[in-house]
Amino acid sequence: MSQQRRLQLDLQWFAGEKTEPATAKKRQDARKKGQVAKSMDLPAALILLFSFISFLMFGGFMKEKMMNIFRNVYENQLTMDVTASNVQVLFADLVKQGFIILSPIFLLVMIIAIIGNYAQIGFMFIGEPLLMKFNKINPLEGFKRIFSLRTVMDFLKSTLKLTIIGYVVYTTLMGAKARLLGLGHTPLESTFSFIASLTLKLGIKIGAVLIALAIFDYIYQKYEYEKSLKMSKQDIKDEYKTSEGDPLIKAKIRSKQRQMAMQRMMQEVPKADVIITNPTHFAVALKYDSTNMQAPTVIAKGADYVALKIKEVAKTNGIITMENKPLARAIFAQVEIGDSIPAELFQAVAEVLAYVYKMKGKTN
């Protein structure tokens, strides 16, 4: 293989290698499809932790409400007549009391779930992930997903979580081993109190561990997400062509627009009263109509090649051409086509027009 051919192949390979960060458009398109960096474990871990924290915070309130329910049942409801209406009233009251007991936990868990998701991806509501995609039920695609690197990573992650949680549970129970073995000789209320305290302690520890693991999982998901979005230099060029248009086509359009603008400008040159030149670099065409204009107006101007064309058109149409280097440069630099001459150039332009009118036998 020749060295030139090898160089071409190397350049093609590097052009196709995805080494560039994703553009804003690529990120926006991925977000519209529901592709975001998100750890499903983080909201679940936060919910678990704060659920146990809510038991710790509202435990006294829940205990008091439950005691009131049992007290009311044993003192008032056991002696009532068992009828459909009485049972319906009792059931509605128990449901209401249960909702009051659990409402603080439900409210806290809902807020934490929203915060856990919003902190990762912000507000996002899209329907594309809900659409039916037949490749999801394709056995071959399913087989690939089962034996993919992502599945292996998820398996290792789950194994790590079970191992760490098992260690936390083991060490916590071993630390309370003496108390657990002595529960048979303690009052029932003390036993319930100890079991509840131990359960809350385990729940908080497990929740904290899962949050730590979920943070690492989020970092990994962020890394994988950024890696999946990376683009090659060719991808960036193709995206630019798609969104902004092919640069070659845009250049042709601009060239055509300049050509049309020059044609329109050249059509105005025969209407000029005078052409002021540099004499070779600049040419400016002026027109003045005292009935419609407050001041002389530039109807055409150009440099180099365009200046030569303006002078050729002027010569063909019998338009007077005058050489005035400072005035030509000043008008070319300060006045755009279609604009009037500024006040500081009035005197010089008036002298030129007066001379032109004199040559043409006109009167001002």
Side-chain angles (χ1 to χ4, degrees):
M1 183 182 296
S2 65
Q3 186 177 358
Q4 183 178 5
R5 178 59 178 167
R6 188 180 299 110
L7 179 60
Q8 290 177 349
L9 291 175
D10 290 341
L11 290 174
Q12 291 175 1
W13 186 84
F14 280 114
E17 187 180 6
K18 297 183 182 297
T19 57
E20 305 302 314
T23 60
K25 184 179 183 304
K26 179 73 176 288
R27 294 178 185 277
Q28 185 178 6
D29 292 342
R31 186 176 177 85
K32 288 179 180 180
K33 297 177 181 178
Q35 300 173 2
V36 291
K38 178 183 177 182
S39 171
M40 299 298 294
D41 295 341
L42 187 57
L46 288 171
I47 289 172
L48 177 64
L49 176 63
F50 280 93
S51 295
F52 281 99
I53 291 177
S54 65
F55 281 119
L56 192 62
M57 294 170 57
F58 304 109
F61 166 78
M62 298 172 69
K63 177 183 176 182
E64 181 182 352
K65 287 293 183 181
M66 292 183 68
M67 292 296 293
N68 289 337
I69 290 174
F70 282 106
R71 187 181 297 113
N72 181 53
V73 170
Y74 287 128
E75 291 180 358
N76 302 321
Q77 307 297 340
L78 288 179
T79 58
M80 73 176 185
D81 295 332
V82 181
T83 62
S85 59
N86 288 342
V87 171
Q88 186 176 1
V89 171
L90 175 62
F91 179 76
D93 183 64
L94 291 176
V95 171
K96 177 183 176 182
Q97 294 298 324
F99 179 77
I100 292 174
I101 292 172
L102 297 176
S103 58
I105 299 177
F106 288 157
L107 183 62
L108 182 62
V109 166
M110 184 176 67
I111 293 174
I112 294 300
I114 293 174
I115 293 174
N117 283 281
Y118 183 81
Q120 295 186 84
I121 61 174
F123 179 78
M124 185 173 70
F125 181 78
I126 53 176
E128 185 166 338
L130 302 177
L131 298 176
M132 172 65 79
K133 295 182 180 179
F134 292 101
N135 62 339
K136 291 184 178 180
I137 59 176
N138 187 341
L140 293 177
E141 292 295 330
F143 185 80
K144 290 179 182 178
R145 286 193 294 268
I146 291 174
F147 294 96
S148 64
L149 179 61
R150 186 179 185 87
T151 304
V152 174
M153 292 299 298
D154 289 340
F155 173 75
L156 294 176
K157 183 175 64 176
S158 300
T159 304
L160 179 63
K161 283 196 293 186
L162 288 175
T163 303
I164 296 177
I165 291 172
Y167 175 77
V168 170
V169 172
Y170 174 78
T171 54
T172 303
L173 293 180
M174 286 297 101
K177 180 180 178 181
R179 291 286 304 275
L180 287 171
L181 294 176
L183 288 179
H185 305 286
T186 58
L188 186 61
E189 184 177 355
S190 298
T191 301
F192 281 140
S193 178
F194 173 73
I195 294 298
S197 175
L198 185 62
T199 303
L200 285 175
K201 187 185 296 184
L202 272 174
I204 292 174
K205 285 184 177 180
I206 292 172
V209 169
L210 289 178
I211 287 177
L213 293 175
I215 290 174
F216 284 107
D217 179 61
Y218 174 73
I219 294 173
Y220 172 74
Q221 297 294 340
K222 186 75 173 177
Y223 166 77
E224 285 292 321
Y225 176 72
E226 293 295 334
K227 183 179 177 182
S228 67
L229 288 183
K230 279 193 172 183
M231 306 170 68
S232 65
K233 290 181 171 60
Q234 187 62 42
D235 292 336
I236 295 176
K237 291 180 180 178
D238 293 341
E239 181 186 283
Y240 178 79
K241 288 180 180 179
T242 303
S243 58
E244 301 294 334
D246 192 329
L248 295 176
I249 296 177
K250 293 179 69 175
K252 290 181 180 179
I253 293 175
R254 286 194 295 267
S255 176
K256 188 67 176 177
Q257 289 173 341
R258 287 193 296 268
Q259 184 179 356
M260 293 174 64
M262 182 178 292
Q263 289 177 352
R264 288 194 298 268
M265 185 180 69
M266 291 302 175
Q267 291 174 358
E268 294 294 318
V269 173
K271 302 177 184 177
D273 291 320
V274 63
I275 307 296
I276 302 176
T277 65
N278 192 29
T280 57
H281 294 297
F282 302 114
V284 179
L286 298 180
K287 179 178 177 59
Y288 179 58
D289 184 354
S290 59
T291 58
N292 299 319
M293 300 178 182
Q294 295 181 350
T297 301
V298 175
I299 59 173
K301 71 174 185 176
D304 299 328
Y305 173 76
V306 179
L308 291 175
K309 294 294 292 182
I310 290 175
K311 288 189 286 184
E312 287 179 5
V313 174
K315 184 177 180 181
T316 303
N317 291 273
I319 307 298
I320 297 175
T321 300
M322 292 187 62
E323 179 181 334
N324 190 324
K325 296 180 181 180
L327 184 58
R329 284 198 298 266
I331 296 175
F332 184 87
Q334 298 180 32
V335 187
E336 297 298 327
I337 297 174
D339 293 345
S340 300
I341 296 297
E344 60 267 21
L345 299 178
F346 275 177
Q347 182 64 34
V349 172
E351 291 177 359
V352 170
L353 289 177
Y355 178 76
V356 170
Y357 293 152
K358 185 177 180 181
M359 290 183 63
K360 290 183 177 180
K362 292 185 177 181
T363 56
N364 196 1

